Amino acid sequence: MKSKSQRLINVIKNYIYMLKIICKEKKGRIYFVIKILLSFYSVIPKVVFLVFPGLIINELVQDKNINNLLFYVLMIITIPIFDKLFLKIINTYLQKIKLDSLLKFGKKFDYHIMMMDYEVFENPDIQDLIYRVNATFTNSISFIDKACEMLSAFLSLLVIFTILASLNIIIVLVVIVLVFVNAYITKKNNNIQFENEKKLTKFNRFLSQIGSIPKMFIYAKEVRLFDMKDYLTNIVINKGAEANNIRLDNVKKALNAQLYFSLTNFLQQGIIYAYLIWQVLEGNLSIGNMTIYLSATIQFASLFSNFVQSYLNIAKDSLKIEEYKKLISIPLKQYELGHKIPIISERSIIEFKNVSFKYPGSNILVLKNINLVLKLDEKICLVGTNGSGKTTLIKLLMRLYLPTEGEILLDGVNINEFEYEAYQKLFSPVFQDSRLYTVSIKENIVLNNNVNYDKLHKVCNQVMLLKKIQSLPNGFDTPVFKLYDESGFEPSGGEFQRIAIARALYHDAPIYLLDEPTAALDPIIENEIYQQFSNIISKKFAIMITHRLSVVKLTNEIILMDNGEILGFDSHSVLYEKNQFYKNMYDVQAKYYQEHK
């Protein structure tokens, strides 16, 4: 495969593009300038070790001047010490700048990923692209290292070329031709390896998740009770074997390239030695000058090879930069749509007008011509069977997705006209798949560095968690889970959901959303949590989403959904009397609760 990204003009454009990004940061600019100066400095030791051994030999064979000999020897033995000391100081400073810069670039990359549209982010191909680009961009300052390696090799080549040009230009041309042969092989191998690495991405993402299960405590119970040893290890072995076939192909290609390099190096060294020995035997070269020319020729070949290899590394990076540009160019539609600031009052209305939706890549409508008017002075229960479209409806309301057809209005204004982050701050959600993080209980609730402790204590007391938290040795600073700390807090199912609800209460947005957060709990505990939550937010607008009907009487009205459509929107008593679908659902579940009790 030939890639336009590895053509010289595209390589230059891509590298300039990335260097501009790096040099926008002050430390990136400092790093770049110092590395450029070091590239010029790197020529000095090479010249000393190239020329001075030959001068010593000539002095010993010819004039035998002690002062000259002492000077030449002194230069050879002191320059390495000075060089190492100087580079130690400068590289320590550069490493600090590099590490600081990598943190900043990593933050910028993560920040951009978190701004990507939800529907784009969930695409598996985009996930693969993010996985590959992450390694490139978070280590982006290495692009400066590679560019300066190339510059250093080029400057050294210029100096050594002036020495060799006085010998025989044909020898230089032979070296250049053979290096270009190696470069062609390397470039071809780079393309193959890059394509193989793209194939490996899916395997790596899959194996990093599955392969971590045996080692992670959160999976330990199920792994043991379901005796998953053979199942998990077989998955890893089978997928790993497929991935290893791709890796093996990469290794074979690399070894083949090394074999070709050995052959070209054999030709190169043979021609150089034969020519120089012949010149000495003919009396055209002194032994000292032969040493200089031999060293110069070998260094020239090595440096030219390094120069070309540096370019090929940069060309290979160009492929990665293209992927970064592709990722970064994906429009942030939600952020670009609107700039109005939403204002909500008790008289506010949210309206769904002829809203239909299908997921990206699918032709199936999961919501069909939804028309709803929601008054923000009520509590609403959204009920229906699994897969009826309840959660999708809420995702559209929160602008995680854009409607395929129709529009959603807040007080007559299309919600897409509002500034994205300001609009999303209208919601305090509690999801069925809410996550707790391996940080402190306090941080899990606040999700911020600024803590209002009065508010924190209040919400934890409201959800009946305060006494439990205060009984822990480290209180609110106790880490959730024992993954990194033995003193960690392992919440029960009910405690897990109470923390998630406390999080929503702490952020106290105008609109509360409970998307089946208690689906995994006992119906009695579920009803208790919903009852507590309803009492706490008695003056707030809330949508409670569930397929279980034990909580419908806590709300003013009920939206009944099935198969992506609204089957009814009224109070419990009206729906129970007039909607047979709802009546059947309620009676079946009520019977279960009675038997359960």
Side-chain angles (χ1 to χ4, degrees):
M1 168 189 166
K2 288 187 177 180
S3 173
K4 292 181 180 179
S5 299
Q6 289 204 86
R7 292 177 182 172
L8 178 60
I9 187 66
N10 290 321
V11 170
I12 293 171
K13 285 180 179 178
N14 284 335
Y15 235 74
I16 290 174
Y17 169 85
M18 190 55 73
L19 289 176
K20 282 181 178 178
I21 291 175
I22 295 168
C23 290
K24 281 182 181 178
E25 293 286 338
K26 181 181 177 182
K27 288 189 176 180
R29 292 193 296 273
I30 293 172
Y31 190 88
F32 182 59
V33 170
I34 292 176
K35 290 294 285 190
I36 291 289
L37 294 175
L38 282 179
S39 297
F40 283 90
Y41 164 79
S42 67
V43 177
I44 298 171
K46 290 185 178 70
V47 172
V48 169
F49 291 110
L50 169 65
V51 175
F52 278 56
L55 293 177
I56 289 172
I57 291 172
N58 281 341
E59 200 65 46
L60 289 171
V61 173
Q62 297 169 6
D63 298 335
K64 299 179 181 177
N65 186 304
I66 296 299
N67 290 332
N68 288 344
L69 284 170
L70 286 174
F71 175 74
Y72 297 150
V73 171
L74 188 64
M75 290 293 288
I76 287 176
I77 64 175
T78 56
I79 281 183
I81 297 173
F82 171 80
D83 182 56
K84 294 297 181 186
L85 181 61
F86 172 70
L87 289 180
K88 177 194 171 185
I89 296 169
I90 213 73
N91 284 331
T92 301
Y93 176 65
L94 284 175
Q95 187 65 15
K96 184 180 184 306
I97 293 178
K98 186 174 185 177
L99 292 173
D100 290 344
S101 298
L102 291 179
L103 286 175
K104 285 188 177 181
F105 290 132
K107 178 184 175 181
K108 280 187 175 182
F109 182 74
D110 290 345
Y111 201 84
H112 180 81
I113 295 304
M114 289 187 282
M115 289 178 67
M116 290 180 70
D117 292 354
Y118 184 85
E119 64 180 83
V120 173
F121 185 70
E122 72 174 355
N123 185 315
D125 291 333
I126 297 298
Q127 287 289 311
D128 288 345
L129 186 61
I130 291 170
Y131 186 89
R132 292 195 300 273
V133 170
N134 179 57
T136 301
F137 188 70
T138 53
N139 196 27
S140 54
I141 206 162
S142 65
F143 294 131
I144 291 178
D145 296 335
K146 293 174 184 178
C148 290
E149 283 171 14
M150 187 175 173
L151 175 62
S152 177
F154 177 73
L155 294 171
S156 299
L157 277 173
L158 285 179
V159 173
I160 295 174
F161 181 79
T162 58
I163 297 171
L164 286 180
S166 63
L167 178 64
N168 191 325
I169 197 66
I170 294 175
I171 294 295
V172 179
L173 292 176
V174 168
V175 170
I176 291 173
V177 168
L178 291 174
V179 169
F180 271 117
V181 170
N182 289 349
Y184 171 77
I185 296 167
T186 301
K187 182 178 178 181
K188 188 175 179 181
N189 191 47
N190 283 348
N191 281 332
I192 294 170
Q193 294 211 350
F194 182 75
E195 290 304 311
N196 280 343
E197 286 166 8
K198 286 172 70 173
K199 294 176 187 175
L200 278 171
T201 300
K202 288 187 184 293
F203 287 105
N204 289 338
R205 282 208 307 122
F206 178 82
L207 289 169
S208 65
Q209 199 279 326
I210 293 293
S212 66
I213 290 175
K215 308 170 191 71
M216 295 185 71
F217 180 73
I218 57 174
Y219 300 111
K221 287 182 288 190
E222 288 187 351
V223 165
R224 283 156 178 76
L225 292 172
F226 288 104
D227 192 19
M228 295 168 66
K229 298 189 295 297
D230 291 336
Y231 170 70
L232 288 173
T233 52
N234 285 338
I235 288 179
V236 172
I237 287 172
N238 293 335
K239 288 291 183 182
E242 291 181 58
N244 284 343
N245 287 334
I246 299 173
R247 295 188 183 100
L248 187 59
D249 185 54
N250 274 352
V251 171
K252 286 179 181 177
K253 295 293 189 298
L255 292 174
N256 287 340
Q258 289 178 20
L259 179 60
Y260 293 134
F261 297 158
S262 297
L263 292 173
T264 54
N265 186 61
F266 170 78
L267 289 172
Q268 177 183 282
Q269 295 293 314
I271 292 169
I272 292 169
Y273 273 97
Y275 179 78
L276 291 176
I277 290 171
W278 174 67
Q279 287 291 304
V280 171
L281 293 175
E282 290 291 314
N284 297 327
L285 271 181
S286 67
I287 294 175
N289 285 343
M290 175 197 165
T291 303
I292 293 173
Y293 282 125
L294 180 61
S295 180
T297 308
I298 292 171
Q299 276 206 43
F300 183 84
S302 175
L303 285 168
F304 192 75
S305 179
N306 289 343
F307 174 75
V308 174
Q309 188 60 49
S310 295
Y311 169 76
L312 291 173
N313 287 336
I314 289 173
K316 187 177 181 181
D317 284 340
S318 182
L319 298 169
K320 298 176 182 179
I321 294 171
E322 283 290 341
E323 288 204 312
Y324 169 73
K325 289 165 72 175
K326 177 183 175 182
L327 180 67
I328 216 74
S329 66
I330 295 173
L332 305 176
K333 291 181 184 177
Q334 293 282 19
Y335 279 88
E336 296 165 358
L337 283 174
H339 303 286
K340 295 180 180 179
I341 301 300
I343 299 174
I344 276 189
S345 69
E346 289 182 357
R347 296 183 297 275
S348 292
I349 291 174
I350 293 174
E351 184 178 3
F352 285 72
K353 293 183 69 175
N354 305 315
V355 171
S356 296
F357 178 76
K358 56 186 177 184
Y359 284 97
S362 171
N363 294 319
I364 300 172
L365 287 173
V366 292
L367 292 178
K368 304 163 188 174
N369 198 35
I370 300 295
N371 287 280
L372 273 176
V373 176
L374 307 176
K375 298 176 182 178
L376 300 195
D377 60 351
E378 296 179 323
K379 290 184 181 61
I380 293 170
C381 195
L382 181 55
V383 303
T385 56
N386 287 333
S388 60
K390 304 186 300 296
T391 298
T392 302
L393 185 77
I394 297 307
K395 285 180 178 177
L396 290 177
L397 175 60
M398 293 187 294
R399 276 180 64 181
L400 293 176
Y401 294 106
L402 298 173
T404 306
E405 298 173 13
E407 60 180 346
I408 304 171
L409 307 173
L410 172 60
D411 292 333
V413 179
N414 190 312
I415 62 173
N416 296 334
E417 295 182 28
F418 295 115
E419 195 275 323
Y420 185 53
E421 288 184 346
Y423 179 78
Q424 290 201 315
K425 286 177 182 177
L426 297 177
F427 301 96
S428 274
V430 185
F431 299 114
Q432 180 178 352
D433 57 351
S434 289
R435 293 286 184 260
L436 297 186
Y437 308 98
T438 53
V439 292
S440 69
I441 297 172
K442 170 184 67 184
E443 291 168 289
N444 265 284
I445 295 171
V446 178
L447 299 178
N448 202 302
N449 292 323
N450 301 317
V451 182
N452 182 328
Y453 282 95
D454 290 339
K455 194 175 184 180
L456 180 62
H457 281 76
K458 179 183 176 181
V459 298
C460 288
N461 187 48
Q462 286 175 324
V463 298
M464 301 177 69
L465 270 178
L466 187 58
K467 288 184 179 179
K468 175 66 178 181
I469 294 170
Q470 290 176 333
S471 71
L472 299 171
N474 296 313
F476 281 100
D477 292 318
T478 304
V480 175
F481 307 125
K482 297 180 182 291
L483 191 61
Y484 301 111
D485 192 329
E486 253 185 38
S487 67
F489 167 56
E490 290 286 343
S492 66
E495 289 167 338
F496 189 107
Q497 294 302 343
R498 289 175 195 275
I499 292 174
I501 292 172
R503 179 187 294 163
L505 291 171
Y506 183 90
H507 290 85
D508 193 32
I511 301 173
Y512 280 85
L513 299 172
L514 269 73
D515 184 5
E516 302 197 77
T518 55
L521 300 181
D522 181 279
I524 307 301
I525 298 176
E526 176 187 49
N527 185 66
E528 178 188 332
I529 289 177
Y530 271 113
Q531 183 71 58
Q532 289 172 352
F533 185 76
S534 181
N535 293 336
I536 293 167
I537 60 165
S538 57
K539 296 181 181 180
K540 293 277 188 176
F541 174 67
I543 299 178
M544 302 182 187
I545 308 152
T546 182
H547 66 278
R548 301 203 300 214
L549 306 181
S550 59
V551 296
V552 294
K553 293 182 181 180
L554 301 174
T555 59
N556 305 101
E557 292 189 288
I558 299 161
I559 301 170
L560 176 64
M561 292 190 69
D562 188 52
N563 195 30
E565 298 179 304
I566 304 293
L567 299 187
F569 182 22
D570 219 313
S571 66
H572 165 69
S573 57
V574 172
L575 283 177
Y576 188 80
E577 181 182 342
K578 295 183 178 181
N579 191 297
Q580 191 62 41
F581 184 84
Y582 178 80
K583 184 179 187 301
N584 291 342
M585 280 182 63
Y586 189 85
D587 286 345
V588 168
Q589 291 193 23
K591 181 181 177 183
Y592 167 77
Y593 297 148
Q594 289 165 358
E595 290 175 354
H596 181 78
K597 186 176 179 181

